[in-house]
Amino acid sequence: MHLSLRQLEVFRLFSKTRNVTETASLLRVTQPSVSQTLKEMENQVGFTLFIRVGGRMHLTPEATALLTEVERVLAQFSTLRGRASELRDGRSGKLAIASVSTLYTDILPAAMASFRKDHDKVHLRADTYTAAEVVQQVRQDHADVGFAFLPVDEMGVAVQPLLRMQVLCAVPDGHELARQKSVSARDLNEQEVIIQNADTPPGMVLHESLDRDGGFTARVLDTNHSIPALHMVRHGLGVALVHPLTLSLAVLEDYAITAVPLEPPIYQTLGMVYSRHRPVPRSVVRFEKYLRHSLQHFCEQMNGRGYHCEMLI
């Protein structure tokens, strides 16, 4: 038996109207088409669907029992069709994000808030990881998209550079370096410098750049995150080399910290990470529009404060 959706729809409507002419009018088809569809359905199920009694059409007991199941199937199909429409239009589904913590200070929450207004039925999940863990989450399909600092050395993922940012030196207000327009590696030699260790992508870039430029012999306090570095500056442990994403915490004003650009400049690049082994989810493609707006706003803020920030997407 191969009942079609069209047969079920005609049968349900005819069971309500009990009139071929009215059914045909509502479906905008011809009367012979309705009669033929009902006859074909009877041949498929193997029993009579309607009988005429006293000039009126009535459902047979078998048809009455069948109608309950037909209503259920058509209701499920309507739900399925609505669900598919939501997924197609991006109003439903899921979006799982894995990111380094500093992106959650401003850029990601702003993008997520705008995205949620237009896609309120999309289930959002946002988790914080180290750069290496971000890559692992995406490679193992636990996250739809990831955000981490470059370089990313992993064959199972692809990377789209997003932002190129100038590294800054965070110093307490009133510190001698706070009065300078820029800070050189030699300026740091008399300081204790808080810096991300070389096991992290930002730390690796910093260490390689400082070693290559030469003249950097300062005492170093290693950490694996940039946000704690600002808290260390606040408590007088030293000055910190950080990327501008930390500035969106607004702790510079609250903690009386000044950020001064390095000279010659050292740059950090933030990237979007996605799997090479499966198509980019539609939810990620849609989210990218909101992310671009958030990135653009952040860059404008940083450039307005004299810190070089460049969008790469």
Side-chain angles (χ1 to χ4, degrees):
M1 181 172 63
H2 300 286
L3 293 174
S4 69
L5 183 65
R6 180 63 172 173
Q7 288 173 331
L8 299 183
E9 290 174 334
V10 171
F11 169 65
R12 179 178 63 174
L13 185 56
F14 185 75
S15 70
K16 298 182 183 302
T17 65
R18 311 292 174 87
N19 184 285
V20 171
T21 301
E22 187 177 351
T23 300
S25 176
L26 291 171
L27 292 174
R28 297 184 178 180
V29 297
T30 64
Q31 295 179 36
S33 174
V34 171
S35 299
Q36 181 63 29
T37 299
L38 292 172
K39 185 180 297 184
E40 290 173 353
M41 184 171 175
E42 285 184 328
N43 292 335
Q44 287 284 330
V45 299
F47 52 78
T48 302
L49 296 174
F50 301 93
I51 57 174
R52 187 177 295 276
V53 179
R56 290 183 57 83
M57 299 295 293
H58 294 270
L59 272 70
T60 64
E62 294 84 0
T64 300
L66 183 65
L67 180 61
T68 301
E69 295 302 314
V70 169
E71 293 279 12
R72 181 179 62 81
V73 169
L74 290 177
Q76 290 178 336
F77 182 79
S78 178
T79 300
L80 175 64
R81 186 161 46 193
R83 176 68 169 158
S85 177
E86 288 179 351
L87 290 169
R88 182 192 64 233
D89 298 336
R91 291 179 286 115
S92 184
K94 70 177 185 67
L95 175 60
I97 298 170
S99 176
V100 292
S101 59
T102 45
L103 207 61
Y104 286 112
T105 57
D106 185 54
I107 291 176
L108 272 182
M112 291 169 64
S114 298
F115 179 81
R116 171 59 63 82
K117 289 180 182 178
D118 296 332
H119 305 82
D120 60 329
K121 293 184 179 180
V122 174
H123 176 72
L124 290 173
R125 194 186 85 229
D127 296 316
T128 301
Y129 300 97
T130 65
E133 290 169 340
V134 166
V135 174
Q136 184 180 40
Q137 289 293 308
V138 173
R139 182 172 54 81
Q140 295 179 350
D141 292 340
H142 297 319
D144 298 307
V145 65
F147 300 96
F149 283 96
L150 307 187
V152 170
D153 185 17
E154 170 60 54
M155 295 296 293
V157 300
V159 179
Q160 167 64 58
L162 297 175
L163 281 182
R164 185 170 180 259
M165 298 165 287
Q166 185 177 6
V167 172
L168 306 172
C169 181
V171 302
D173 287 354
H175 191 281
E176 58 182 349
L177 296 180
R179 297 188 294 271
Q180 299 185 188
K181 291 185 177 180
S182 63
V183 172
S184 69
R186 295 186 186 278
D187 291 330
L188 296 173
N189 286 339
E190 301 302 318
Q191 311 294 327
E192 177 142 4
V193 181
I194 305 162
I195 187 172
Q196 284 188 251
N197 59 56
D199 293 335
T200 67
M204 182 178 70
V205 171
L206 276 170
H207 282 278
E208 288 182 350
S209 298
L210 290 169
D211 292 343
R212 182 174 58 250
D213 293 340
F216 181 73
T217 59
R219 181 181 178 186
V220 170
L221 193 164
D222 275 324
T223 182
N224 65 342
H225 284 288
S226 57
I227 293 176
L230 288 180
H231 295 280
M232 295 179 196
V233 172
R234 176 194 180 196
H235 286 279
L237 286 171
V239 301
L241 300 184
V242 298
H243 51 74
L245 287 177
T246 58
L247 306 190
S248 55
L249 284 169
V251 296
L252 297 187
E253 291 79 5
D254 293 343
Y255 291 178
I257 293 175
T258 298
V260 185
L262 284 183
E263 187 63 43
I266 298 175
Y267 293 96
Q268 301 278 4
T269 301
L270 178 75
M272 181 168 65
V273 183
Y274 53 94
S275 175
R276 287 187 181 275
H277 303 304
R278 62 185 175 94
V280 178
R282 293 169 69 92
S283 58
V284 173
V285 175
R286 291 189 174 91
F287 180 70
E288 188 177 316
K289 178 183 73 172
Y290 300 88
L291 179 66
R292 284 172 183 264
H293 180 77
S294 187
L295 292 171
Q296 183 65 45
H297 180 67
F298 174 78
C299 268
E300 289 173 356
Q301 284 187 319
M302 293 300 103
N303 287 322
R305 296 170 71 172
Y307 309 133
H308 183 260
C309 181
E310 176 187 5
M311 283 188 64
L312 303 175
I313 187 174

